[in-house]
Amino acid sequence: MQERHPAGVNASATALELSADPLGMPADEMRRLGHLVVDRVIDHLESLERLAPVEAGDGRELRAALGGPAPQLPGDAEESLELLADLALVQMQHVSHPRYLARVPGPASFAAILGDWMATGFNGIAASWGGGAGPTTVELVALGWLREALGLDARTEGILLSGGSMASLVALATARRTVGHGTVYLTDQAHSCIPRALRTLGYADDRIRIVPTDADLRLDVAALEELVAADPEATIVVATAGSTNTGTVDPLAAVADVAERHGLWLHVDGAYGAPAAIAGAPELADLHRADSLAVDPHKWLFQPYDAGVLYVRRPGALERAFALDAEYLTDVTSDDEPDLRDRTPELSRRARAVKLWLTFRAYGVEGLRRAIAGGISLAEYAEDAIRATPGLRVVTPARHGVVTLAVDGASHAEHLAIGRALEAEGTAALTTTTLHGTSVMRLCTINPRATESDIDAVLEAIVLHYRG
Ligand SMILES: *Cc1c(COP(=O)(O)O)cnc(C)c1O
């Protein structure tokens, strides 16, 4: 066997054998590649509008360029970074694009991107106090700032998760732990992640009960009252604060009254709409009455993926549901400071709050308020513009950044075809959906970079495509 030599001695040795640390990289090289990443990201953000809101991908081309056999020997990191920036990260929906008005845009702010980069670079972990006092403090502080901005009670506890689906899953697990299994009430406008979370938790279909909605698609409180009064096993009611379809907020105060009267846990899914409370939306004034609340910072709080917040108003309920007790964690367990691993089913968890904390510091609550209010106003502008456009009509008015419309005489298939054509030609991305059987096209206008002329251009293109 050939003897190993110190670095540089054996010229024929591979790079792997030469370095004491097979994954090491000289500092100069790290700087050069790091700056390249920064430049490529900022070039992308600056030229975003020259891309289509959705750049479709060709599976064969993607696999050919990105796949192949696993590289056995070290390769050129720079070339691979360029490939990511030129191809892999271009062929997708550009949720920060001003004419991406589909589903829920994700207009990440640059301060938040910087925060995430920093947290990743330092490999921050927020699992225990002993193992991450700094990141834990950042998370608790950021959750506290957001809690205050949303008008929640001071004793409300929070935790960051990967998104709204996980926040609601963890909320429902916490609720069940607190009030028992029983039956759960929600409307057909609740996000599909809610029934999925319930199924994941072992709820049989007949334990998931649908409450009717009124003409405005809001939870019908009288119907809820009647249903739970007749159901001694009722334990949880889920209300939506900003439905994905129409931005509709269920009557939170009235639902909270019913929940209180019958001892139910009230979970509010505000994954989309809760941030509208920061802009003073009156229908969200009673968010603080929720026992648990899901909010998605990667939607209307301008964070890059992923970030979901869960708030629980009952102190200690999260820890009673999730506290972890492992012998090998004793030396990173704190007696008087929180170990965040005890509030979530996760143990190792990234320092997700750094981006949110930096967002508050960089823009202030006032910056967020203005950005959110701008999205609400832009939907109101779109509503007026739809009304003023012959051939289009408003189906549901602007509600918390969402407006739906229909083209006069168009079928659902025609709405879908218009949407696909706009997406294919790169004009806009929007969503086609149905509201109790009525086909609509839907605009979600929460991107602070979207303007009134973006809306005008989209409406014009819709009319053009229908006539053409
Ligand atoms: C987006 C959304 C969800 C799901 O959130 P994810 O972050 O995608 O998991 C849940 N509820 C509502 C109302 C949403 O808009």
Side-chain angles (χ1 to χ4, degrees):
M1 247 183 80
Q2 198 186 345
E3 198 188 333
R4 295 225 171 191
H5 298 285
V9 173
N10 182 351
S12 69
T14 66
L16 267 177
E17 286 167 324
L18 284 176
S19 171
D21 170 4
L23 307 183
M25 202 182 265
D28 282 356
E29 184 65 353
M30 289 197 279
R31 262 181 237 290
R32 190 181 70 81
L33 293 173
H35 291 150
L36 182 137
V37 169
V38 171
D39 285 339
R40 288 304 312 247
V41 169
I42 292 166
D43 288 349
H44 170 70
L45 296 176
E46 279 203 321
S47 62
L48 194 53
E49 287 179 50
R50 289 201 287 277
L51 294 173
V54 179
E55 293 281 348
D58 175 68
R60 202 143 17 129
E61 185 201 349
L62 284 165
R63 283 187 293 273
L66 303 168
Q72 298 298 317
L73 293 173
D76 185 344
E78 177 172 348
E79 198 181 291
S80 299
L81 286 169
E82 299 284 4
L83 183 59
L84 289 170
D86 290 338
L87 185 74
L89 297 172
V90 173
Q91 300 203 353
M92 61 178 202
Q93 52 181 18
H94 294 286
V95 291
S96 296
H97 193 295
R99 276 174 282 105
Y100 182 94
L101 306 163
R103 297 165 285 276
V104 181
S109 65
F110 195 65
I113 292 170
L114 289 175
D116 227 13
W117 277 348
M118 191 81 153
T120 299
F122 279 76
N123 204 9
I125 180 164
S128 66
W129 181 263
T136 299
T137 304
V138 164
E139 182 158 344
L140 293 172
V141 167
L143 287 170
W145 289 341
L146 179 59
R147 181 190 65 211
E148 221 174 281
L150 293 170
L152 308 181
D153 293 354
R155 66 200 171 116
T156 301
E157 292 172 343
I159 191 72
L160 266 161
L161 295 143
S162 62
S165 303
M166 283 303 293
S168 282
L169 174 67
V170 172
L172 293 166
T174 307
R176 183 176 63 171
R177 176 82 188 186
T178 310
V179 296
H181 192 85
T183 51
V184 183
Y185 288 82
L186 55 133
T187 77
D188 65 0
Q189 295 300 298
H191 192 277
S192 48
C193 76
I194 302 290
R196 178 173 65 180
L198 291 167
R199 288 195 303 272
T200 305
L201 292 170
Y203 282 83
D205 289 348
D206 66 352
R207 295 270 165 179
I208 305 172
R209 309 261 164 96
I210 300 299
V211 186
T213 50
D214 63 19
D216 283 334
L217 301 168
R218 291 186 173 88
L219 184 147
D220 179 338
V221 181
L224 174 70
E225 171 71 45
E226 206 173 303
L227 286 166
V228 300
D231 177 6
E233 295 194 69
T235 47
I236 299 171
V237 57
V238 180
T240 304
S243 69
T244 321
N245 259 344
T246 59
T248 298
V249 175
D250 286 328
L252 298 178
V255 177
D257 289 343
V258 174
E260 253 168 45
R261 254 198 312 279
H262 296 275
L264 309 181
W265 178 289
L266 169 58
H267 174 59
V268 174
D269 179 4
Y272 168 65
I278 297 173
E283 288 176 88
L284 291 154
D286 288 293
L287 269 187
H288 64 95
R289 297 196 52 195
D291 291 293
S292 55
L293 169 68
V295 191
D296 247 354
H298 60 213
K299 288 176 175 168
W300 214 353
L301 288 168
F302 318 107
Q303 304 299 298
Y305 301 112
D306 50 19
V309 167
L310 169 60
Y311 284 115
V312 174
R313 186 166 55 119
R314 304 191 190 189
L318 279 169
E319 271 159 37
R320 282 190 292 278
F322 294 107
L324 187 75
D325 187 15
E327 296 82 351
Y328 82 97
L329 290 173
T330 315
D331 50 12
V332 279
T333 298
S334 174
D335 290 334
D336 39 40
E337 300 284 1
D339 294 310
L340 293 181
R341 60 165 196 247
D342 288 340
R343 293 186 181 185
T344 152
E346 297 175 316
L347 173 53
S348 299
R349 47 195 300 279
R350 57 204 299 255
R352 272 197 194 100
V354 172
K355 55 189 165 192
L356 190 58
W357 181 89
L358 194 62
T359 302
F360 275 103
R361 297 266 297 202
Y363 308 113
V365 176
E366 179 55 18
L368 289 173
R369 190 198 63 71
R370 285 181 49 214
I372 296 164
I376 294 174
S377 312
L378 192 58
E380 288 162 358
Y381 172 84
E383 178 187 335
D384 291 343
I386 293 162
R387 289 192 200 286
T389 306
L392 302 183
R393 71 193 154 80
V394 170
V395 179
T396 57
R399 289 182 189 145
H400 311 103
V402 177
V403 62
T404 67
L405 67 139
V407 179
D408 280 331
S411 65
H412 188 55
E414 285 166 322
H415 279 155
L416 281 168
I418 296 169
R420 272 198 289 269
L422 296 192
E423 195 168 302
E425 74 185 17
T427 309
L430 36 80
T431 293
T432 305
T433 180
T434 55
L435 306 174
H436 289 177
T438 302
S439 173
V440 297
M441 305 185 85
R442 165 189 169 285
L443 308 178
C444 182
T445 61
I446 62 172
N447 187 340
R449 288 181 286 260
T451 62
E452 294 179 355
S453 48
D454 288 315
I455 300 297
D456 294 343
V458 173
L459 298 181
E460 210 173 289
I462 291 175
V463 171
L464 206 69
H465 272 280
Y466 191 53
R467 297 229 180 93

